[in-house]
């Protein structure tokens, strides 16, 4: 146990010319203690550094101990990074939520996909949402004392019995009290509600929103997101859940809208937001960027389309301004680019296809791809797999459609730090199977345009035109 704990504090990097560098500390050395006391986690470490004099003990990589007496300015850092960013083992979740996406995945995927983290400390480092169900009162109060802000909490429902039932955890009921403690401690709070029709919508949602509305100024935002259901629920012995349809999605939008009006009156901001999927399902237009008030809940799929559209419009206008003399009549063969999207985003992405084709002198088509891997009810782009893309490509070929010259994919379909899809297919495998170049673009609107700039060579990174101008200037 002691060795495992020490390993959590193994140094991965030492900043050049930092205090630790001056002391001769190198990657592989271990931070043992500060002022004779073991460091509990990253927050303990940061807090205990806020002093002008301290004694730090290291175990060097040759096994010897090294004690350093340090005098510094109060806010000076040591310049250390650690292999384990928390300096402690990440806490896993103790719930068994009825809507958990991880429980709805097929067996046999890479192990890291099945890890259910639920660590408030990690939430500060990565912005994850946590349930607060695996913290003792003492641990919760300790973390409050660091006054780190904001906290991101998965609420789902404030009525205790509903929350306990949804999370299959008898300790999940006291969330409202903990949320009050957070906001009363002066800590900002973002909340998330995963909405399951017939379980926590309707009256339960009303009560939840009402309770949250009483949390005061430190409540920054609340996202209401619809449950996602894969085709593995039955196989994985999970209870049946319903999906939202246009009627129930409209009801949620109306309900959220009523609370937004309340907040607009009381605070001049909306605070409660419904995810994009509700608008798409209800067949209602996605609001403009002003509505999202700085997009505090983008990670929850709230305002993704609006923000993407804002960047596209702005980026297109800037490129058109610099492109005054482009000729659209050219005899060059235009490359055919197929942009892959999920079913939900397909119509939206397609709304720019003609403009992009003209601007870049290409034939751009959007190919919405059905998610057969997780099931057809999963319609977001980020959950598409390599297999789904190959299947769509082969279906098109079987129908006699001419294959595109290039495929373009948003990077949200790949693991953040590795070119691998959710079904473990590598990007290299995909390219080999499709026998086509595959362009990976950032998922943002600006990233999409920059990828096309670079591919076509028409604009450089700053949006300036670089290719020879076809056509001629008038009045020359
Ligand atoms: S908190 Fe619930 S949804 Fe999140 S990982 Fe745990 S079981 Fe899954």
């Amino acid at each position: 146990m002691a060795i495992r704990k020490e390993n959590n504090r193994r140094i991965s990097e030492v900043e050049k010319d930092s205090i630790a560098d001056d002391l001769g500390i190198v990657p592989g050395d271990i931070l043992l203690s500060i002022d004779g006391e073991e460091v509990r986690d990253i927050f303990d470490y940061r807090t205990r550094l806020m002093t002008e004099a301290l004694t730090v003990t290291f175990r060097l990589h040759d096994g010897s101990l090294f004690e350093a007496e340090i005098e510094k300015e109060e806010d000076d850092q040591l310049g250390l990074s650690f292999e384990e960013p928390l300096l402690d083992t990440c806490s896993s979740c103790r719930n068994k939520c009825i809507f958990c996406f991880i429980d709805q995945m097929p067996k046999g995927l890479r192990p890291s996909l099945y890890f259910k983290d639920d660590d408030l400390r990690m939430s500060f480092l990565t912005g994850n949402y946590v349930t607060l169900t695996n913290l003792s009162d003492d641990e919760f109060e300790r973390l409050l004392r660091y006054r780190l802000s904001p906290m991101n909490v998965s609420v789902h429902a404030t009525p205790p019995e509903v929350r306990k039932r949804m999370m299959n955890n008898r300790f999940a009921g006291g969330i409202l009290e903990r949320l009050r403690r957070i906001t009363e401690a002066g800590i900002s709070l973002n909340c998330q509600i995963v909405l399951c029709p017939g379980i926590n919508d309707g009256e339960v949602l009303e009560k939840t929103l009402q309770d949250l509305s009483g949390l005061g100024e430190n409540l920054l935002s609340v996202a209401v997101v619809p449950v996602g259901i894969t085709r593995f629920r039955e196989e994985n012995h999970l209870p049946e859940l319903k999906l939202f349809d246009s009627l129930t999605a409209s009801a949620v939008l109306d309900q959220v809208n009523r609370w937004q009006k309340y907040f607009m009156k009381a605070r001049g901001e909306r605070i409660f937001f419904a995810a994009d999927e509700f608008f798409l399902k209800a067949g209602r237009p996605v609001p403009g960027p002003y509505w999202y008030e700085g997009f505090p809940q983008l990670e929850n799929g709230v305002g993704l389309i609006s923000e993407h559209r804002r960047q596209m419009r702005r980026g297109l206008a800037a490129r058109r301004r610099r492109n005054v003399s482009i000729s659209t009549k050219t005899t060059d063969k235009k490359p055919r680019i197929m942009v892959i999207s999920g079913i939900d985003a397909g119509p939206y992405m397609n709304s720019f296809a003609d403009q992009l084709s003209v601007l870049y002198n290409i034939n751009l088509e959007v190919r919405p791809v059905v998610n057969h891997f997780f099931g057809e009810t999963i319609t977001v782009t980020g959950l598409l797999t390599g297999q789904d893309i190959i299947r769509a490509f082969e279906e098109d070929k079987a129908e006699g459609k001419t294959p595109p010259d290039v495929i373009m994919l948003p990077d949200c379909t790949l693991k953040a730090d590795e070119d691998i899809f959710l079904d473990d297919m590598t990007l290299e495998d995909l390219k080999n199977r499709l026998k086509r170049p595959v362009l990976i673009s950032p998922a943002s609107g600006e990233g999409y345009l920059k990828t096309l700039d670079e591919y076509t060579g028409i604009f450089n990174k700053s949006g300036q035109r670089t290719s020879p101008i076809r056509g001629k200037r008038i009045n020359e």
Side-chain angles (χ1 to χ4, degrees):
M1 183 67 172
I3 302 250
R4 192 166 67 88
K5 274 193 161 180
E6 280 193 11
N7 281 339
N8 289 333
R9 285 175 261 127
R10 190 180 298 279
I11 292 155
S12 60
E13 266 180 61
V14 179
E15 197 183 312
K16 201 167 173 321
D17 299 329
S18 62
I19 294 173
D21 193 25
D22 287 350
L23 291 169
I25 299 300
V26 294
D29 293 343
I30 290 170
L31 172 78
L32 282 186
S33 62
I34 295 179
D35 294 330
E37 276 183 50
E38 200 180 88
V39 177
R40 290 174 74 166
D41 58 22
I42 185 70
F43 301 122
D44 190 26
Y45 170 70
R46 285 182 187 170
T47 312
R48 291 179 40 202
L49 282 190
M50 290 171 72
T51 176
E52 291 178 353
L54 67 165
T55 305
V56 186
T57 311
F58 297 92
R59 186 188 302 288
L60 304 183
H61 51 291
D62 63 4
S64 62
L65 295 184
F66 174 69
E67 192 174 87
E69 288 185 6
I70 299 168
E71 283 186 14
K72 64 178 192 63
E73 298 294 323
E74 193 176 303
D75 50 4
D76 278 350
Q77 300 298 308
L78 298 186
L80 296 174
S81 301
F82 298 90
E83 285 181 8
E84 194 59 64
L86 280 183
L87 300 189
D88 194 10
T89 311
C90 184
S91 308
S92 60
C93 109
R94 299 209 187 130
N95 312 306
K96 195 145 183 15
C97 300
I98 53 172
F99 51 83
C100 181
F101 194 84
I102 296 173
D103 289 340
Q104 297 183 65
M105 294 201 303
K107 310 250 173 338
L109 302 179
R110 56 182 178 271
S112 60
L113 289 176
Y114 299 99
F115 181 66
K116 299 176 168 185
D117 78 274
D118 194 15
D119 195 314
L120 181 58
R121 300 164 305 173
M122 202 66 192
S123 157
F124 289 116
L125 301 181
T126 62
N128 287 0
Y129 277 73
V130 291
T131 65
L132 303 179
T133 53
N134 57 358
L135 287 173
S136 67
D137 287 343
D138 284 352
E139 192 61 1
F140 178 64
E141 292 298 328
R142 177 180 85 89
L143 292 172
L144 283 189
R145 282 198 290 277
Y146 295 122
R147 296 177 64 84
L148 289 158
S149 217
M151 286 193 183
N152 297 335
V153 180
S154 295
V155 176
H156 310 316
T158 51
E161 287 313 312
V162 182
R163 192 170 195 256
K164 285 194 245 175
R165 202 166 59 241
M166 287 186 79
M167 302 176 80
N168 270 310
N169 184 340
R170 66 193 168 95
F171 301 108
I175 188 64
L176 191 55
E177 197 38 49
R178 286 204 160 172
L179 297 179
R180 280 200 197 107
R181 286 285 301 119
I182 292 170
T183 50
E184 282 166 11
I187 295 168
S188 306
L189 175 68
N190 294 302
C191 296
Q192 174 197 60
I193 296 170
V194 174
L195 212 57
C196 301
I199 295 175
N200 61 337
D201 60 346
E203 282 176 19
V204 177
L205 179 62
E206 194 61 19
K207 172 77 176 120
T208 302
L209 296 182
Q210 189 179 18
D211 286 341
L212 296 180
S213 74
L215 290 173
E217 294 281 314
N218 286 324
L219 177 73
L220 296 184
S221 69
V222 178
V224 181
V225 303
V227 61
I229 297 182
T230 77
R231 67 185 172 90
F232 296 97
R233 283 198 77 82
E234 203 180 325
E235 192 176 316
N236 293 355
H237 310 290
L238 298 168
E240 203 182 327
L241 280 183
K242 285 192 230 148
L243 285 167
F244 282 95
D245 57 25
S246 64
L247 222 64
T248 47
S250 291
V252 172
L253 289 177
D254 292 341
Q255 199 169 1
V256 170
N257 193 254
R258 281 196 295 278
W259 279 102
Q260 288 182 324
K261 283 186 181 150
Y262 162 83
F263 273 111
M264 281 305 278
K265 235 174 165 178
R267 285 174 55 172
E269 41 191 356
R270 290 178 178 79
I271 309 294
F272 292 172
F273 298 97
D276 293 4
E277 277 178 85
F278 284 111
F279 289 92
L280 299 176
K281 195 67 91 182
R284 294 192 190 177
V286 173
Y290 67 93
W291 193 86
Y292 291 99
E293 299 171 348
F295 299 99
Q297 291 274 3
L298 265 187
E299 293 296 317
N300 267 322
V302 177
L304 277 177
I305 292 181
S306 191
E307 172 61 353
H308 195 280
R309 188 174 56 197
R310 184 183 70 82
Q311 291 185 16
M312 288 294 286
R313 285 178 178 162
R314 186 178 285 184
L316 281 169
R319 284 163 177 80
R320 279 198 198 100
R321 276 199 297 277
R322 297 186 181 109
N323 194 27
V324 284
S325 51
I326 193 167
S327 164
T328 53
K329 75 174 166 42
T330 169
T331 52
D332 293 355
K333 183 181 174 295
K334 297 178 184 181
R336 289 188 58 228
I337 301 183
M338 179 190 271
V339 175
I340 300 294
S341 92
I343 295 293
D344 270 355
Y348 160 71
M349 293 296 284
N350 203 33
S351 67
F352 286 103
D354 289 347
Q355 297 176 63
L356 293 172
S357 292
V358 171
L359 181 69
Y360 289 102
N361 201 29
I362 54 178
N363 278 319
L364 184 141
E365 61 193 83
V366 175
R367 175 62 160 96
V369 171
V370 174
N371 195 321
H372 292 282
F373 186 81
F374 287 114
E376 294 186 15
T377 49
I378 299 296
T379 48
V380 295
T381 309
L383 293 174
L384 283 176
T385 64
Q387 295 171 38
D388 293 317
I389 296 162
I390 289 173
R391 183 166 170 167
F393 193 83
E394 284 171 355
E395 280 170 2
D396 288 353
K397 234 163 76 183
E399 285 176 21
K401 293 183 184 157
T402 316
D405 300 305
V406 181
I407 312 273
M408 193 162 150
L409 272 181
D411 60 1
C412 59
T413 52
L414 295 167
K415 193 166 177 259
D417 55 355
E418 206 182 336
D419 284 345
I420 187 167
F421 294 92
L422 279 167
D423 58 356
D424 288 340
M425 183 181 287
T426 65
L427 181 59
E428 219 35 53
D429 287 341
L430 183 84
K431 287 180 185 170
N432 291 337
R433 291 282 301 274
L434 299 179
K435 298 189 178 62
R436 292 281 177 291
V438 177
L439 299 176
I440 300 298
S441 80
S444 64
E446 193 48 40
Y448 183 37
L449 292 175
K450 280 186 178 157
T451 306
L452 288 170
D453 291 349
E454 280 166 29
Y455 175 71
T456 57
I458 290 181
F459 296 93
N460 64 19
K461 282 188 180 143
S462 60
Q464 302 287 347
R465 191 165 177 45
T466 54
S467 69
I469 294 173
R470 296 189 188 99
K472 58 178 182 183
R473 290 176 193 276
I474 305 169
N475 300 333
E476 245 182 13

